[in-house]
Amino acid sequence: MGSAVPTSERAYLYTKGQILDGDLAGGDLISEGMVSEALGMSRTPVREAFLRLEAEGLLRLYPKRGAVVVPVSDKEVEAVLETRELVESFAAEKVAALRGLREDRP
């Protein structure tokens, strides 16, 4: 018996994906109605998703008007990419070291 993804989670993942993929750019105004229509669901789970995205700093909510996608500066993008590179390099080194240990065992 598989567990279905809650509608608020679906709305959250969809909207966050749109933002991170650049389909929704910084400064774009979106509404609960737009997202609920795109996903075929009521506005309540979308409202919950928007609140979560606001807490993460991706949206700025304006009651009765919608939400604005918070622009991300080039400096912020560069910092995130540099951090990701450091973390991924470190993780790759750890995995390589673990593989080396396993291959040395009889």
Side-chain angles (χ1 to χ4, degrees), residues 47-65:
R47 189 173 304 116
E48 293 171 19
F50 276 22
L51 289 169
R52 189 170 161 193
L53 291 165
E54 181 182 43
E56 292 179 8
L58 294 173
L59 290 180
R60 190 169 301 124
L61 300 181
Y62 295 95
K64 301 189 192 256
R65 291 190 358 223

Side-chain angles (χ1 to χ4, degrees), residues 43-94:
R43 291 180 182 205
T44 300
V46 177
R47 189 173 304 116
E48 293 171 19
F50 276 22
L51 289 169
R52 189 170 161 193
L53 291 165
E54 181 182 43
E56 292 179 8
L58 294 173
L59 290 180
R60 190 169 301 124
L61 300 181
Y62 295 95
K64 301 189 192 256
R65 291 190 358 223
V68 173
V69 177
V70 175
V72 179
S73 72
D74 291 340
K75 189 174 181 179
E76 288 173 303
V77 170
E78 186 177 330
V80 168
L81 292 175
E82 286 176 1
T83 302
R84 183 175 173 182
E85 182 180 359
L86 288 170
V87 170
E88 289 177 356
S89 296
F90 179 78
E93 289 173 13
K94 289 294 185 184

